[in-house]
């Protein structure tokens, strides 16, 4: 069974005349007769019966007609939506991003894009998660692009740095370390730690800080994202290291500068190499590149 057979069947069912149906379909009458006969053989039943010079649906033809029309309608909707979503003037862009990028960076970027391209009708889909999750979603083509930490050894992905986040230590409001303006990793290591899970892009960076300081952290709890970590710190369950982002500044914790911090956390726009993208997705990615390629060298230095 193929699409043409379904279209021929539905057309003949409406017109009820082989010659006129063939003319409408711009095929020969023998071709139409052969297609209907093949369809009947496959279904194992008669779909039409003669009524004078016309043909009408049998009981089984009427039943099959419901499903055939529904299938063609669904397919037509899919074709129209696909064309609309992949046109030059609009469509859908799915963005994956780590939690810290959801408050300011991604909304600001999208707002500026829509302002600079008012002629485009774009529908955005937003999805957050830890770095490993959004990278997985990118490879599975759930997302057109993602914003996350660097993951080494990904030869099929392009990483473009777009922002830099400073790391800070956070403690409960009544913690002994709040008497200081800044702390070392060694001082922080004296207390129970709230850490990121291993799927987080920040986890290797925090691990590295403790390794450089030659300190082994006493990990009490592990979480996926920054606000959850800060929430646990606020409840006195430990101390932690997080990016200095707006969500953290609004939490009931004390932020302390890290004295021995030798690097910052970079956030990257990540895309797949040699993968088909809709015109509107390519336009958005090129827009991000134009805004940040000039800054890339500075961010990585």
């Amino acid at each position: 069974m193929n699409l043409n057979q379904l279209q021929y069947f539905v057309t003949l069912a409406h017109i009820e005349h082989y010659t006129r149906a063939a003319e409408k379909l711009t095929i020969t009458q023998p071709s139409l007769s052969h297609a209907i006969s093949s369809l009947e053989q496959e279904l194992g039943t008669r779909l039409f019966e003669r009524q004078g010079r016309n043909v009408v649906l049998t009981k089984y033809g009427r039943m099959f007609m419901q499903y055939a029309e529904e299938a063609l309608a669904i397919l037509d909707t899919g074709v129209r939506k696909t064309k609309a979503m992949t046109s030059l003037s609009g469509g859908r862009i799915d963005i994956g991003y780590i939690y810290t990028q959801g408050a300011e960076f991604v909304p600001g970027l999208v707002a500026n894009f829509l302002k600079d391209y008012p002629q485009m009708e774009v529908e955005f889909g937003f999805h957050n998660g830890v770095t490993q999750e959004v990278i997985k979603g990118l490879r599975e083509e759930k997302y057109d692009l993602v914003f996350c930490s660097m993951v080494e050894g990904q030869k099929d992905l392009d990483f473009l740095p777009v922002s830099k986040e400073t790391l800070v230590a956070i403690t409960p409001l009544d913690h002994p370390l709040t008497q200081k303006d800044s702390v070392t990793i060694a001082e922080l290591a004296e207390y129970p730690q709230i850490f990121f899970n291993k799927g987080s892009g920040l986890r290797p960076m925090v691990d590295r800080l403790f390794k450089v300081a030659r300190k082994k952290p006493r990990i009490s709890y592990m979480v996926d994202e920054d606000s959850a970590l800060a929430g646990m710190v606020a409840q006195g369950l430990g101390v932690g290291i997080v990016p200095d982002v707006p969500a953290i500044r609004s939490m009931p914790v004390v932020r302390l500068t890290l004295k021995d911090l030798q690097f910052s956390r970079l956030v990257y726009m990540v895309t797949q190499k040699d993968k088909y993208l809709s015109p509107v997705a390519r336009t958005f990615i090129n827009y991000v590149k134009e805004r940040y390629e000039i800054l890339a060298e500075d961010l990585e230095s």
Side-chain angles (χ1 to χ4, degrees), residues 35-175:
I36 297 300
S37 178
S38 297
L39 183 58
E40 289 178 329
Q41 288 179 16
E42 182 173 347
L43 293 173
T45 188
R46 293 286 297 276
L47 298 173
F48 295 93
E49 58 186 357
R50 288 283 178 182
Q51 193 174 79
R53 294 183 178 181
N54 290 3
V55 291
V56 295
L57 289 169
T58 65
K59 170 185 175 180
Y60 306 105
R62 290 194 298 272
M63 181 185 70
F64 183 65
M65 179 72 165
Q66 299 174 12
Y67 297 102
E69 286 190 311
E70 183 178 349
L72 291 174
I74 291 172
L75 181 61
D76 181 63
T77 299
V79 169
R80 287 187 286 103
K81 286 189 175 182
T82 299
K83 287 182 177 180
M85 291 174 65
T86 59
S87 71
L88 293 174
S89 60
R92 180 180 174 89
I93 302 173
D94 283 291
I95 302 175
Y97 54 89
I98 54 177
Y99 296 98
T100 59
Q101 303 305 295
E104 291 184 344
F105 181 80
V106 171
L109 188 62
V110 168
N112 287 330
F113 175 78
L114 293 174
K115 181 179 178 181
D116 291 344
Y117 288 86
Q119 75 280 10
M120 284 193 166
E121 296 183 2
V122 185
E123 176 186 347
F124 282 92
F126 301 102
H127 318 268
N128 59 23
V130 298
T131 291
Q132 295 292 347
E133 290 172 345
V134 297
I135 289 289
K136 183 175 183 289
L138 178 66
R139 283 208 170 91
E140 293 174 349
E141 299 186 32
K142 293 179 180 178
Y143 315 136
D144 297 299
L145 67 155
V146 299
F147 295 97
C148 62
S149 299
M150 168 65 74
V151 180
E152 300 293 342
Q154 311 301 307
K155 295 182 179 180
D156 60 324
L157 304 179
D158 279 323
F159 288 80
L160 175 73
V162 293
S163 68
K164 181 184 289 188
E165 295 176 342
T166 301
L167 298 180
V168 294
I170 56 173
T171 72
L173 297 178
D174 58 352
H175 196 274

Side-chain angles (χ1 to χ4, degrees), residues 166-185:
T166 301
L167 298 180
V168 294
I170 56 173
T171 72
L173 297 178
D174 58 352
H175 196 274
L177 288 177
T178 58
Q179 300 175 11
K180 300 173 175 288
D181 294 325
S182 59
V183 293
T184 65
I185 294 296

Side-chain angles (χ1 to χ4, degrees), residues 1-9 35 38-39 42 64 72:
M1 188 181 302
N2 57 49
L3 180 60
N4 283 339
Q5 286 177 312
L6 290 180
Q7 292 172 328
Y8 295 170
F9 166 73
S38 297
L39 183 58
E42 182 173 347
F64 183 65
L72 291 174

